[in-house]
Each structure stands twice: as C-alpha cells, then as structure tokens.
Amino acid sequence: MAEPDRPVPHRPGAVSLFFVAKAGVFALGFWSWLLVLVSTGDGATGAHVLAAAGAVTTTLVGVVLGVRLALQRSAAARHAELKRLLVDISWNAFAAAGNAETSGTVVPFPTLPGEDERGARERVSSVFDRGPGERPGGRRR
C-alpha cells in the first residue's frame, strides 16, 4: 500500500488489463457457445470442435496474460520500493555528512584505521606526477 504522503508508484498494465478482459469475454463466449451446442444433443460436428478449441485457447490466453499482468504489477511495486529505499539511504547519508559533529543513527561507511584523505592521495601516483620516461612504480625503461 502506498503511504499518503508519497506518490502512488507507476502501475503498468492498462493495455494488458484490456487484453485480459478481452480474452475473458471471448472465452465466456466460446464456453457458452460450446454449452449450447452440447445441450442440443446433436453428434460431434466441426462446430463442436471449433467451439471447444476456441474455449480452451482463449481461456489459456487469458490465464497467461493475467499472470503476466500480475508479475508486471508486483515488479513495479518492488521497483518503487527499491527507489524509495535508495532515496532514504542517500538522504540519510547526506544528513549524516551535514551532522558529522553530532552522533546520529546513521552508520558511517567503513574506512581503514588511521587513514585520512590526504594520506590516501599521497600514496596514489598520477600520470601527471611522473617525469618523462618514468614508469609506474618508479622503474625506468
């Protein structure tokens, strides 16, 4: 369920819902036609086979499209929840960076002990820090 202060997540499937309903209407029509043909008491004819094949086919199509629609909706809900979670994580990280002096409920990212930003930058050599003909690691050609 969506919270009242947050927008409703995108719910795909308006077109899929139309096709599920359309397949249901066709299946209902074929099943009723087959019921009428069977109730008349005639022998099995081509119309019986056509009605039975149409009823089974449209029922299966409706079920497959309904399952696909349900999977799309649940995937959309999971995606919306994942986006909310990422926004909450980034907001908490932003808030923790702004309130670094105070103790907060946000756990900071782990760092190696005794390593500050300047020390890490001095250990990494850049291409521009090397002299001409100098290779990484201080070796020459």
Side-chain angles (χ1 to χ4, degrees):
M1 295 283 173
E3 297 175 5
D5 60 337
R6 294 191 179 182
V8 178
H10 171 66
R11 294 285 184 184
V15 174
S16 296
L17 185 61
F18 169 75
F19 285 114
V20 170
K22 187 175 178 180
V25 167
F26 274 93
L28 181 66
F30 275 115
W31 282 111
S32 60
W33 182 35
L34 182 63
L35 182 65
V36 167
L37 287 176
V38 169
S39 65
T40 58
D42 294 338
T45 63
H48 288 83
V49 173
L50 180 64
V56 169
T57 303
T58 54
T59 301
L60 288 176
V61 167
V63 167
V64 167
L65 289 176
V67 167
R68 182 177 176 262
L69 175 65
L71 290 174
Q72 281 180 342
R73 286 185 176 248
S74 67
R78 284 192 316 268
H79 180 71
E81 185 61 32
L82 181 65
K83 286 189 338 187
R84 275 191 220 108
L85 181 65
L86 288 173
V87 167
D88 289 343
I89 288 171
S90 65
W91 180 253
N92 285 339
F94 175 75
N99 300 330
E101 296 84 35
T102 63
S103 63
T105 59
V106 178
V107 177
F109 286 107
T111 58
L112 295 176
E115 187 178 275
D116 63 343
E117 189 175 345
R118 175 171 281 236
R121 284 188 181 169
E122 288 176 355
R123 281 195 302 263
V124 177
S125 64
S126 172
V127 174
F128 301 112
D129 294 340
R130 298 183 205 130
E134 192 175 328
R135 299 182 87 190
R139 297 182 309 211
R140 295 189 144 246
R141 287 188 191 198

